[in-house]
Amino acid sequence: MTPALPSLRTLLFRLHWALGLTAGFVLAVMGVTGALMSYEEAITAFANRDRAVVAAREARPAPLPGVLAPNILAPSILAARIEAQEPGRRVASLTLSQDPAQSAVARFGRDRASGERAPSVYVDPADGTVLGPVRLETAFATVRELHRWLLIPGEGKGWGRTVTGACALALLAFLGSGLYLRWPGRHGWRVWLRPNLARPGRARWWSLHAIVGTWLLPVYATIALSGLWWSYDWYRTGATWVLTGQTPETRPAGRMPGRTPPADPPVSSSPLDTAWASFSATHDAALATLTLPGPDATTIRIRWYAADKGAAILRNETSYDARTGDLLSDRRSDGAGLGQRLADNMLEVHRGRFFGAPVALLFCLAALAMPGFAATGLTLYILRRRAGRRRSVGGMPRPAAATGRG
């Protein structure tokens, strides 16, 4: 006699616990590290509170017209003074604030021989004095590598990224199978949305596991769908097309129309300072990161955040010609559609900050809850196995199909 095939409900139930015993523990690690990264800026600022600010001083005329704020040296001068204090290191980028009391942050390029990057440093933007390295930068770099590719060699090009991407897909499978196992329900919303911790044994753990998961389902779906952005190139291409109608290769960069090849600039001018002065005079930026061009670079890139509180977390990008300092492109979030803003700020979507501070906190708490789902799922699996063994010993037949309740 041919044995009956398991039902779809049974298959999904087995898939759910099988993924829970494998991908669930990786997701627990990714959840804890993701929660830490959610507030990396705030934690780092607190740990460096003695270096992240500079003493108040009388404002002096800026060395260039239209700089971001008073008491900020021209970028070329600032970089030269930093490199003089840090021999053998080249400044790769400068992060400058509109607030004159905020220190600048200088990030160095990788060493050509070792490939390693020296720690970033805080700098007084008024005179270029190095105030000290950024504390916790190395620790958060390790947390980031653990979150993205589990510290597996190869970094983003190794198979660690494939593993974390597969676990993000597993999270979507968790959500879909878990919802199906709860559906259809003949109970009211109280059973669906309110855990009953007074129930004994396995029913209590199932109630906590399933109902909290139901509450957090939209959050986890957003985290998984946005996390896949960095895992698979094909996914990013498809998501970009869905959001913007363009592929990453064909998306417009905001280049100024009608440009002609620029002439060689005068030897005495600094394209970097020219670009910075032009940017500062035309952009209301609260924070800007200026990428200093290398010897072979053709563009000067500035990523910045608007001073407007409503758009303070939305990234904008402006680029200039590295030979002349002329404007090449200017992509602003306030002039883009919702899909374009989502694509340009996928990291903030992943962290929940795109939707506001309360939602960002909810995302952080949901990430911290991931180890709890792994623990309750494992508890349900162990209790179910024990109950099955007791039924077998007592001569009772085991159920042929899963009920979806642990």
Side-chain angles (χ1 to χ4, degrees):
M1 182 177 179
T2 304
L5 294 176
S7 65
L8 176 61
R9 191 176 187 85
T10 300
L11 290 174
L12 289 178
F13 176 76
R14 292 174 180 174
L15 173 66
H16 195 89
W17 66 253
L19 290 175
L21 295 175
T22 52
F25 295 102
V26 177
L27 287 170
V29 173
M30 295 172 67
V32 173
T33 53
L36 286 172
M37 292 166 56
S38 295
Y39 290 95
E40 177 181 354
E41 295 87 352
I43 296 172
T44 301
F46 179 79
N48 295 275
R49 56 192 181 279
D50 59 329
R51 302 175 179 180
V53 296
V54 293
R57 68 190 73 196
E58 182 180 357
R60 59 170 171 75
L64 285 174
V67 295
L68 188 66
N71 296 320
I72 294 181
L73 289 173
S76 62
I77 299 175
L78 184 59
R81 293 190 179 183
I82 296 169
E83 291 172 352
Q85 299 169 77
E86 301 285 339
R89 297 176 178 176
R90 183 186 68 83
V91 176
S93 68
L94 292 169
T95 299
L96 302 169
S97 173
Q98 188 183 63
D99 184 356
Q102 291 292 320
S103 301
V105 177
R107 194 178 190 212
F108 298 103
R110 293 186 181 275
D111 182 80
R112 292 185 178 181
S114 64
E116 297 181 354
R117 191 188 302 273
S120 303
V121 294
Y122 284 106
V123 182
D124 187 331
D127 57 19
T129 300
V130 173
L131 304 176
V134 178
R135 300 187 186 100
L136 297 184
E137 182 181 48
T138 302
F140 271 110
T142 302
V143 170
R144 191 174 301 108
E145 291 175 1
L146 180 59
H147 181 81
R148 292 181 176 177
W149 44 76
L150 305 176
L151 299 179
I152 294 175
E155 299 185 346
K157 297 180 180 180
W159 57 274
R161 189 180 76 156
T162 303
V163 172
T164 55
C167 289
L169 291 172
L171 179 55
L172 293 175
F174 278 133
L175 300 177
S177 60
L179 184 62
Y180 182 87
L181 291 173
R182 298 203 70 196
W183 194 284
R186 293 176 292 179
H187 308 287
W189 65 270
R190 293 179 183 273
V191 175
W192 259 82
L193 300 178
R194 189 178 70 179
N196 186 357
L197 302 183
R199 301 171 67 186
R202 195 169 43 155
R204 176 194 304 155
W205 294 111
W206 176 86
S207 178
L208 184 65
H209 183 91
I211 293 177
V212 175
T214 302
W215 276 101
L216 295 178
L217 190 147
V219 175
Y220 287 140
T222 304
I223 289 175
L225 291 171
S226 57
L228 289 169
W229 183 269
W230 295 277
S231 298
Y232 302 107
D233 294 335
W234 59 264
Y235 180 87
R236 179 183 293 197
T237 300
T240 301
W241 183 84
V242 170
L243 292 172
T244 67
Q246 304 283 339
T247 61
E249 293 78 13
T250 59
R251 283 173 55 193
R255 184 174 295 274
M256 305 298 291
R259 280 185 44 80
T260 57
D264 290 334
V267 176
S268 59
S269 68
S270 169
L272 178 64
D273 295 340
T274 301
W276 180 248
S278 174
F279 169 82
S280 302
T282 55
H283 296 73
D284 185 19
L287 193 71
T289 297
L290 170 66
T291 300
L292 278 64
D296 300 325
T298 58
T299 59
I300 300 169
R301 187 178 63 183
I302 301 177
R303 292 181 174 180
W304 57 280
Y305 298 88
D308 179 14
K309 291 184 178 180
I313 56 93
L314 299 181
R315 191 182 71 181
N316 309 274
E317 185 170 320
T318 306
S319 62
Y320 297 85
D321 193 298
R323 297 168 64 243
T324 64
D326 291 340
L327 178 66
L328 294 178
S329 64
D330 190 14
R331 292 175 55 186
R332 305 195 184 200
S333 59
D334 57 1
L338 176 60
Q340 187 71 62
R341 293 200 303 272
L342 288 170
D344 289 341
N345 298 274
M346 192 57 67
L347 177 61
E348 305 306 333
V349 174
H350 189 62
R351 301 199 294 181
R353 296 205 306 178
F354 185 89
F355 311 102
V359 178
L361 177 60
L362 176 62
F363 272 53
C364 178
L365 295 176
L368 285 174
M370 282 188 176
F373 282 100
T376 54
L378 179 61
T379 301
L380 285 168
Y381 175 78
I382 294 174
L383 292 176
R384 184 173 183 273
R385 299 288 291 182
R386 288 178 179 176
R389 284 196 296 268
R390 286 196 298 268
R391 285 194 296 266
S392 298
V393 171
M396 298 176 60
R398 298 185 64 179
T403 63
R405 300 210 171 206

